[in-house]
Amino acid sequence: MLRRVVLRFARDRKANIAVIFALTMVPIIFLLGMTLDYTQAVRKREQLDAAADAAAIAAVRPAMLTQSDKTVVQATAAAVFAAKANLPGLSSVPTPTVTVTDSGLARTITVSYTAKSVNNFPSVLGKQTWDVAGSATAKASSAPNMNFYLLMDDSPSMGIGATAGDISNLIKYTAPAYQSAAASQNCGFACHQTDIAHDGGTKDNLAIARQRNITLRIDLVTSAVNQLLNSWSNCPQSGISGGVMQCMSALNNTTYKAALYTFDLSLNELAKLTTPSLAGAQVNNISLMPVAYQNCVVPTTNCKTDNGTDIAGTLKSINDIMPTPGLGSNAQGDTPQEVVFLVTDGVEDKISATCPNATFASNSRCQQPLDTTMCTTIKNRGIKIAVLYTEYLQLIANPATGIQKTDNWYMTWIDKYDQPTSSTGKIAQNLQACASPGFYKSVQSGGDIKDALTDLFIKVASSTASLVQ
C-alpha cells in the first residue's frame, strides 16, 4: 500500500513549478544578498580611495614639503583621511597607514587602509562584514633654494619701438632730426648715439624717443625686471613687500638670490649675486648700449661695422662666474640650484671669423640665430636656463605716414630666420633648444613682457604635486 502511494507521487507532474521555485529560492536569496553587500562594499571602497587620494595630496602640499618632522606630515594625512572616511555602513572609521619617503627634494607619500563594510545579509553570507582595502601614492618635489642670474639684452635692437605705433612715431619724429641724408633718419630704432655730429644731427634717436614719450622694447624689459625684483601688486600672500621673487620666496619658504647683468658686445655687471631687493636697486641702470654713430660701435676713424650682440660670448662669461649647482635643499652642506634667465631677441650680431649659421658676413660681421653650443655646456653642468624670447620682427611704419612701409635690412638678412613665422623660425627654434625643457616663452612686439617674465619665473620656481597611483 505505502509502496503504491510513493510510486504514484513520483509519477505525478502537477505543481512541479512550485517545487522547482522552492528548490531555487535558497541560491537566489544567497546571490541577491551577496550582490547587494558586495555592491555596497565596492561603493565604500571607492569613497575610501578618494579619501586616501585627498590625504596623500594634502601631505605633499608646499607647506608640508617644508615640514621635516615626518610625524607632523603623517598626522596631517591621517586627519584629512579621517574627515572623509567617516562613512555610514562601516564597522568603524579606519585608521590609515601613512608612509613618508624622502629622497633629496622629492617626497613620496603612501596612504593605505583596510576597512570592514557591514553586510545587510550576514546570515546569508555567513559573515558580518566584507573586507575592503586600498592605497594612494602622491609624489612632489619641494621648491628649491635658487640663485638667478638675469641677463638682459641691451643691444641697439632692443631700442625698437615697443608697439607698431611707437615704431611709426620713431620713424616720424626722427625724420627732421638730421640735416643730412643720414642713415639714421626715419629710424624705428632709438639708437643711443654719442657722435651725433657725424650724421649732422642735434639729437640722438634715444633723446627723441624720450622727448616724445615713445616706449621702447628695453623699457618693457626694464619694467618686467622691476616687477620681478621690486614691486608686484598681485602677490597672493598679504604682507609681502617686494617683487615676484620675494613673493614666491615667502610662498615656497625658500631662499632666492639674484644677480643682474645686461649684455651687448660683452657681459655688463649691474649687481653681483645678492638679495632680490639689493639687485632690484640696480634695475634703473638697465639702458641701451651706446653707439658712436650708425655703423660704428666705437669712436674710431675707421669704423666699418655696427655689430652689438654676442649672446654666446655672454653665456660663456656667465658660465665662468656661476658655481656648480646643488640640490637647493636645506640639508647641511647643500647649495642652491643655479638658473640663467636670458631675455633677448635671439639674433647674434658680432665679429667672427667663422659664421656657420649665417649667410651675411661683411668685414667679419656675423648675423645669425644663437649658436646653442654654450647652452649645452651650461646645462651639462646641471644649471637650468630659462629663455624669454622678445620676437625679432620687421620694422613697418604706419603706411599713413608715407615714410616707410618695409625694412630692407630685415628682409635681406633676418627674415629667412623668421620663416614660416617668428614664433617657429630658426631664431625661435635655437632659443627653445637653448632653454631647459619647459623653461621657454616668447612674446611679440606689443605683448606683455611683464606677465611673460613673471609667468616664466613662477614656472621655474614652483613645485608640483601629482598622484602616482
Side-chain angles (χ1 to χ4, degrees):
M1 181 67 177
L2 179 60
R3 183 171 179 272
R4 285 197 304 270
V5 172
V6 172
L7 290 174
R8 191 183 308 118
F9 177 79
R11 288 193 300 267
D12 193 349
R13 295 293 185 264
K14 296 176 181 179
N16 58 349
I17 297 300
V19 174
I20 294 172
F21 179 75
L23 293 174
T24 58
M25 276 299 294
V26 173
I28 289 173
I29 293 173
F30 177 83
L31 290 172
L32 285 174
M34 182 177 67
T35 300
L36 289 171
D37 285 335
Y38 176 76
T39 301
Q40 177 178 275
V42 168
R43 176 57 180 160
K44 294 293 182 290
R45 185 179 64 190
E46 291 174 349
Q47 293 173 303
L48 292 173
D49 283 347
D53 289 346
I57 286 291
V60 291
R61 294 297 185 191
M64 285 291 99
L65 289 173
T66 62
Q67 179 58 253
S68 59
D69 188 345
K70 291 185 179 180
T71 60
V72 174
V73 179
Q74 290 170 326
T76 299
V80 172
F81 181 86
K84 296 178 176 295
N86 188 13
L87 305 173
L90 295 178
S91 62
S92 62
V93 178
T95 300
T97 299
V98 181
T99 303
V100 181
T101 305
D102 289 333
S103 178
L105 292 172
R107 170 168 288 173
T108 302
I109 303 292
T110 300
V111 179
S112 57
Y113 68 88
T114 59
K116 294 182 180 297
S117 176
V118 177
N119 291 327
N120 294 310
F121 300 93
S123 58
V124 172
L125 295 177
K127 55 189 305 185
Q128 296 294 319
T129 59
W130 196 303
D131 293 338
V132 293
S135 67
T137 300
K139 184 176 182 179
S141 295
S142 60
N145 300 320
M146 290 181 169
N147 294 333
F148 294 91
Y149 297 77
L150 308 175
L151 309 182
M152 309 295 124
D153 191 338
D154 73 342
S155 62
S157 60
M158 295 301 285
I160 182 177
T163 65
D166 290 316
I167 293 171
S168 293
N169 284 332
L170 268 173
I171 293 172
K172 175 182 177 181
Y173 291 120
T174 55
Y178 300 93
Q179 287 74 46
S180 64
S184 49
Q185 274 188 294
N186 303 337
C187 184
F189 287 101
C191 304
H192 181 21
Q193 295 179 283
T194 59
D195 187 1
I196 305 169
H198 181 274
D199 285 336
T202 57
K203 291 180 180 179
D204 73 357
N205 288 5
L206 180 60
I208 293 171
R210 297 304 182 221
Q211 181 184 24
R212 298 288 181 174
N213 294 318
I214 296 171
T215 303
L216 310 177
R217 177 171 285 181
I218 197 167
D219 297 331
L220 300 183
V221 171
T222 301
S223 180
V225 178
N226 185 67
Q227 179 169 278
L228 194 66
L229 297 174
N230 290 326
S231 179
W232 189 36
S233 60
N234 293 328
C235 182
Q237 184 166 319
S238 60
I240 301 300
S241 61
V244 177
M245 196 171 289
Q246 291 92 327
C247 176
M248 294 306 298
S249 177
L251 288 173
N252 292 336
N253 194 27
T254 52
T255 299
Y256 297 143
K257 290 185 177 181
L260 186 60
Y261 300 87
T262 59
F263 67 91
D264 36 67
L265 293 171
S266 59
L267 187 67
N268 311 305
E269 179 185 287
L270 300 182
K272 292 182 183 292
L273 191 67
T274 184
T275 65
S277 297
L278 289 178
Q282 301 301 318
V283 169
N284 289 336
N285 290 327
I286 298 175
S287 60
L288 280 176
M289 163 194 171
V291 296
Y293 51 83
Q294 179 80 2
N295 297 323
C296 186
V297 297
V298 290
T300 67
T301 57
N302 186 27
C303 186
K304 298 180 180 179
T305 179
D306 61 354
N307 66 291
T309 314
D310 188 355
I311 308 175
T314 293
L315 291 173
K316 182 182 184 305
S317 296
I318 201 67
N319 184 55
D320 293 339
I321 294 172
M322 298 175 74
T324 300
L327 288 176
S329 71
N330 293 318
Q332 186 175 3
D334 195 12
T335 57
Q337 294 185 11
E338 308 291 325
V339 182
V340 174
F341 242 91
L342 177 65
V343 181
T344 181
D345 59 27
V347 176
E348 294 197 304
D349 186 356
K350 61 186 179 181
I351 303 300
S352 175
T354 60
C355 199
N357 297 323
T359 58
F360 172 61
S362 175
N363 298 314
S364 299
R365 183 185 179 191
C366 174
Q367 296 178 100
Q368 64 177 7
L370 168 64
D371 181 345
T372 61
T373 302
M374 184 51 61
C375 302
T376 302
T377 298
I378 292 173
K379 288 185 289 188
N380 285 345
R381 293 182 58 202
I383 297 172
K384 296 179 174 66
I385 301 179
V387 176
L388 177 59
Y389 173 32
T390 54
E391 294 186 20
Y392 207 124
L393 301 173
Q394 180 184 179
L395 298 182
I396 302 178
N398 187 338
T401 65
I403 299 173
Q404 178 179 333
K405 294 185 179 180
T406 189
D407 185 80
N408 291 330
W409 174 85
Y410 170 90
M411 296 305 299
T412 303
W413 309 120
I414 305 300
D415 183 65
K416 64 170 62 182
Y417 301 128
D418 268 346
Q419 295 302 320
T421 68
S422 60
S423 299
T424 59
K426 187 64 175 176
I427 301 171
Q429 291 174 26
N430 285 19
L431 287 176
Q432 190 161 11
C434 179
S436 299
F439 295 165
Y440 169 81
K441 198 172 184 68
S442 63
V443 60
Q444 292 189 355
S445 293
D448 196 329
I449 294 179
K450 286 200 300 185
D451 283 352
L453 187 62
T454 293
D455 291 346
L456 188 57
F457 176 83
I458 292 175
K459 190 171 187 179
V460 175
S462 295
S463 60
T464 59
S466 61
L467 281 171
V468 177
Q469 67 177 46

